[in-house]
Amino acid sequence: MNFTPKSVLGAVVTLSIGATTLLAAGASPAAAAGRAHCDRAERPVWSGDPSRNMTAHGCSVPSGERRWYRVEVDTLVEPHHTTEYLNGPVDRTEKLHDRTIRCMGYTTDGNTLNWFGCIPH
């Protein structure tokens, strides 16, 4: 098989279009994510990195199961821990307002929602 510049260019273009199509198809479930709203939430920060879990109160969640949720939080409290232990000392606490965080899902415990798989903002 002889590879000419024209055939190589055609193959590259075909691969590029195919990759773009796959990326767009993979992004569509995330783009169609449900929106949730929470009055307040707490997400600890361990050694500079936010936890992938968040505890929230006063939430309204859309009906139906989703792959991803966009959680709009009025007040997000982030205690910055100096160690990797939950009961360890807290260096400082930040209070952030009007934040949107993407999470994979949640569990409920009474009036509390425990969000998991949250992407750092």
Side-chain angles (χ1 to χ4, degrees):
M1 181 186 283
N2 292 332
F3 293 107
T4 63
K6 188 176 182 180
S7 66
V8 172
L9 180 62
V12 169
V13 169
T14 302
L15 286 173
S16 298
I17 291 171
T20 303
T21 303
L22 288 175
L23 286 174
S28 62
R35 287 194 175 271
H37 178 267
C38 298
D39 294 333
R40 56 190 165 83
E42 181 176 308
R43 181 165 77 167
V45 177
W46 310 101
S47 302
D49 293 322
S51 173
R52 301 298 189 254
N53 300 322
M54 179 172 68
T55 303
H57 306 277
C59 297
S60 62
V61 181
S63 61
E65 292 185 26
R66 304 268 185 199
R67 183 179 182 108
W68 285 95
Y69 293 90
R70 283 205 169 120
V71 186
E72 297 170 350
V73 180
D74 290 341
T75 303
L76 177 63
V77 177
E78 291 186 334
H80 290 255
H81 294 267
T82 57
T83 65
E84 297 295 322
Y85 301 103
L86 183 61
N87 294 331
V90 175
D91 180 39
R92 69 185 190 283
T93 300
E94 287 185 60
K95 189 180 282 190
L96 308 171
H97 299 282
D98 301 323
R99 296 292 173 160
T100 301
I101 300 171
R102 288 185 43 187
C103 297
M104 276 182 116
Y106 64 92
T107 60
T108 58
D109 183 18
N111 293 331
T112 302
L113 288 183
N114 298 302
W115 294 95
F116 58 86
C118 300
I119 297 173
H121 58 275

